[in-house]
Amino acid sequence: EKNVQAKGLELEAQMRLGGGLQGLVSYALQHTKDAQTGATLVNSPEQTTKMRLSVPGPSRQSFVSVEVLSMSSRQTLAGATLKPAATANVTMLVPIGHAFQFILSAKNLFNVQYADPASDSNVEDSIVQNGRTVRVGLSWKFLSK
């Protein structure tokens, strides 16, 4: 059992402007450590930031969102330090009738190469994450009105 000490601050602001424009900004500052050894915890970034802007899309009740996520460096189990990372995502949602939504999403839009610390059940110390991925989908609201 690990005894952990953590201190931090989290801030978030949201805005909804006329014409369907919406924005969100959040920031977290944290410091976590093992209370017995004083070591920084694995996979615990000291800073994370999220920014999202949503605008009306090409058709009625559709929208397009752009999101930027960033995190500071993190430690791995072996004591290595992974570089800070920032990624951008774009998502478009288009309602089709009352029960369906068309979804188009591009994650890690700029194909940023980064890794996350692995757990002790992995052979690797860090795991490289996916580059740019695109998803096209159709969702169904089962109990829509």
Side-chain angles (χ1 to χ4, degrees), residues 3 12-13 34 37 40 86 114 120-121 136 140:
N3 190 3
E12 182 175 287
D34 183 312
T37 66
T40 300
Y114 70 101
D120 57 2
S121 63
V136 176
W140 174 42

Side-chain angles (χ1 to χ4, degrees), residues 60-72:
R60 189 176 173 282
Q61 293 187 328
S62 68
F63 67 88
V64 176
S65 293
V66 177
E67 179 179 62
V68 176
L69 308 166
S70 71
M71 70 180 110
S72 61

Side-chain angles (χ1 to χ4, degrees), residues 16-71:
R16 293 178 188 263
L17 302 174
L21 187 66
Q22 296 180 31
L24 174 132
V25 176
S26 68
Y27 173 77
L29 175 67
Q30 67 178 8
H31 181 72
T32 57
K33 66 180 181 177
D34 183 312
Q36 290 147 341
T37 66
T40 300
L41 294 184
V42 170
N43 197 12
S44 183
E46 288 200 359
Q47 298 181 64
T48 59
T49 305
K50 178 193 285 189
M51 294 179 279
R52 182 174 56 234
L53 180 64
S54 297
V55 297
S59 65
R60 189 176 173 282
Q61 293 187 328
S62 68
F63 67 88
V64 176
S65 293
V66 177
E67 179 179 62
V68 176
L69 308 166
S70 71
M71 70 180 110

Side-chain angles (χ1 to χ4, degrees), residues 25 28 37 56 59 68 92-93 105 123 130 144:
V25 176
T37 66
S59 65
V68 176
M92 180 173 71
L93 242 92
S105 178
V123 175
N130 291 336
S144 73

